[in-house]
Amino acid sequence: MRWSRFYIPTLKEAPSDAEVISHKLMTRAGMIRKLTSGTYTYMPLGLRSISKAAEIVRQEMDRAGANELSMPMVQPADLWQESGRWDFYGPELLRFKDRHQRDYCLGPTHEEVITDIVRGEVRSYRQLPMNLYQIQTKFRDEIRPRFGLMRGREFIMKDAYSFDRDQAGLDASYIAMYDAYMAIFTRMALNFRPVEADSGSIGGSFSHEFMVLAETGEDTVVVCKDCTYAANIERAEVLCTGDECDRLDTPLEEVSTPGKCTVADVAAFLGVSEAAIIKTLLYVADGEPVVALVRGDRELNDVKLKNLLHADTLEMASPEQVQQWTGAPVGFAGPVNIKVSRIVADNELRLATDWITGANKGDMHLKHVSLKRDVKLSGFADLRLITEGDTCPKCGGAIALTKGIEVGHVFKLGTKYSEAMNCKYVDEDGRDQTMIMGCYGIGVSRVVASCIEQNNDKDGIMFPPPIAPFEAIVLNLDTRTDDVCAKVDEIYALLKEQGVDVLVDDREERPGVKFKDADLIGIPMQLVVGGKGLGRGIIEVKDRRTGEKSELPVDGFAEAFTAWKKTVYAGWGIN
Ligand code: ATP
Ligand code: MG
């Protein structure tokens, strides 16, 4: 490919709305252009990277025995009504009507459509297991589309769905996908971790997310420094050991705390530590009020609360609801005599007594609160977010928190969709059985952005060869000199012959511009061909990742290049 014939509109400036490095660099490198909020055109260079990522995904999915198909993006509402999701999916689902006033949506995911296909096709146990996947554009009307391709409204996803006869079959399908994902992200040379993820109220090890580790990640990943445990913070269990301690003889006492409505303010005002206070949080779960209690210096994990309550929806109570249930404005709620019957407390609150809480009166708090004596608790549960200083739930070792970008997700669905949509097969004994499903997603466009988050420097992108738009770039420094042009053509042909995907910068531009652009677009191997070097019998090469330059001899160039290429790839951990 010649740059003069390939459209790479590089820019000096990043767009003003770009907050993260991948968004800035992808725009500056001419890989993407924004159409409207959360939707982007994949420009020729960007599309090349995405296609390479997609091809790795495709190869590993095929190797794992999955079959590619392609489903419509526009989906009829009746399937979503059948599964029950039409009412639950919320505003991320873009809904519209056709000319006959029938309801439709743009596919944010395809469980309904695939289940409809399989129930219409598969009859016998002999046809199972089955795993079907597609690589396709999805639409989710995200509340905060941002970070370019990282959180778009329109994006490319690989979504796979497995259908099995029984639980053992599902386990095998799940492991096959887990292994395929390990192979995929390893081949892409990403620094990633599979982590345990939230599986909703079913609990158990039913879900893993694949996280690219990067500071700009929106997810917090909990990793153990001593064992292999890794989990999304939403999921990470907090161990709580120690003896119950809730004897208290001191009577309750109201104290005036004028205008002190945060834990920090109350602690400072009363001269106590935040850990001596109970934070009282008011929620509405599926329309019902619920109170959650955590220690003042802790954060509630609302995913844990939602799972505990088996709730489909969980929202913070409004200031009006707080006033109604507590008789006080926000900031003075407490569990003693609150007008809410469901009160759950974090496990840790079992270990101490003599708490300070809100008094359910404006500008007042209560001292000497015993949960046992003074509160009608529904129970204790693991409700808080894990923090550094907590211990690993697996081995008791030290944990650390890092940031990650979710690039893939494997999930055991069970019979959620097959049950609701009547997706059955006939077993060996002629009986009807419900199929057991799994679903497996990869954000293909997000993968490219995450890769850039992980691999960049002040000059631009540093692509790993497997998903670089080109593996090598040949910079022609003397486009008006026939000898140089002939050499460039020769090298181009030679690299092609070796199976290297190569771009030639044949533009009539100053060398400085070419060097800058080559660094910006991040092609891993740079080859510089110019009259000066050729005069000395050498071609200069640069490893974009390390910045290391070497000189390869013109005589015996093919072998020298092969050897150098090996070192560049080895630097990426690729043999
Ligand atoms: P997130 O928590 O980031 O919103 P999700 O849990 O909604 O992700 P899934 O429904 O599991 O994601 O989708 C499968 C994969 O699709 C994700 O692992 C992610 O890589 C990708 N993905 C999801 N939403 C987006 C988006 N808005 N833009 C780009 N990629 C996305
Ligand atoms: Mg999402």
Side-chain angles (χ1 to χ4, degrees), residues 435-455:
M435 290 187 213
I436 304 191
M437 293 172 59
C439 69
Y440 317 92
I442 290 183
V444 177
S445 44
R446 184 185 280 185
V447 156
V448 175
S450 333
C451 169
I452 295 171
E453 288 297 326
Q454 221 168 48
N455 301 294

Side-chain angles (χ1 to χ4, degrees), residues 50-51 53-59 61-62 67-71 132-138 155-160 442 444-445:
I50 292 172
S51 304
E55 191 49 34
I56 291 173
V57 171
R58 182 174 284 120
Q59 286 172 8
M61 291 302 291
D62 290 348
N67 295 176
E68 187 171 3
L69 47 51
S70 182
M71 292 177 266
L132 300 167
Y133 78 97
Q134 62 178 349
I135 299 175
Q136 189 218 36
T137 297
K138 294 281 183 280
F155 58 96
I156 299 178
M157 197 202 285
K158 183 285 298 178
D159 46 327
I442 290 183
V444 177
S445 44

Side-chain angles (χ1 to χ4, degrees), residues 542-557:
K542 181 170 120 176
D543 179 341
R544 174 67 183 91
R545 188 180 67 86
T546 60
E548 214 168 287
K549 292 178 181 167
S550 339
E551 295 183 344
L552 304 185
V554 173
D555 291 338
F557 175 78

Side-chain angles (χ1 to χ4, degrees), residues 89 92 140 142 151 155 406 446:
Y89 208 91
E92 267 188 33
R140 293 183 182 180
E142 297 275 356
R151 184 167 297 284
F155 58 96
E406 180 194 325
R446 184 185 280 185

Side-chain angles (χ1 to χ4, degrees), residues 179-361:
D179 291 345
Y181 278 37
M182 292 299 290
I184 287 166
F185 299 123
T186 303
R187 274 183 69 183
M188 291 175 178
L190 293 167
N191 178 12
F192 72 99
R193 271 306 273 260
V195 308
E196 287 183 15
D198 174 49
S199 316
S201 53
I202 32 170
S205 279
F206 285 95
S207 164
H208 285 87
E209 287 162 348
F210 288 76
M211 295 281 188
V212 163
L213 304 180
E215 275 162 34
T216 42
E218 292 181 286
D219 285 282
T220 303
V221 178
V222 180
V223 291
C224 178
K225 293 177 185 167
D226 302 316
C227 77
T228 56
Y229 179 78
N232 191 314
I233 194 162
E234 290 179 341
R235 147 96 185 175
E237 192 190 329
V238 177
L239 286 185
C240 181
T241 49
D243 295 330
E244 185 168 336
C245 166
D246 198 6
R247 276 204 48 152
L248 187 64
D249 299 325
T250 330
L252 286 172
E253 178 193 336
E254 280 188 359
V255 283
S256 165
T257 49
K260 309 296 177 206
C261 51
T262 66
V263 169
D265 286 350
V266 174
F269 183 74
L270 297 177
V272 298
S273 88
E274 294 186 10
I277 297 173
I278 288 180
K279 217 178 337 191
T280 304
L281 300 154
L282 281 70
Y283 282 89
V284 183
D286 291 346
E288 296 293 322
V290 54
V291 170
L293 308 177
V294 292
R295 218 171 74 180
D297 57 335
R298 306 299 196 187
E299 292 302 324
L300 180 85
N301 182 336
D302 51 8
V303 173
K304 286 181 181 173
L305 179 61
K306 196 172 166 195
N307 290 343
L308 176 76
L309 301 171
H310 297 279
D312 287 312
T313 62
L314 181 75
E315 289 147 40
M316 298 267 317
S318 67
E320 294 72 34
Q321 285 167 320
V322 172
Q323 179 78 45
Q324 199 186 335
W325 300 339
T326 69
V330 172
F332 300 94
V336 182
N337 294 327
I338 195 167
K339 286 188 220 119
V340 176
S341 57
R342 184 137 204 204
I343 306 175
V344 288
D346 181 58
N347 283 331
E348 198 174 30
L349 300 183
R350 218 196 265 265
L351 307 184
T353 188
D354 204 351
W355 299 102
I356 294 166
T357 71
N360 297 323
K361 283 185 192 164

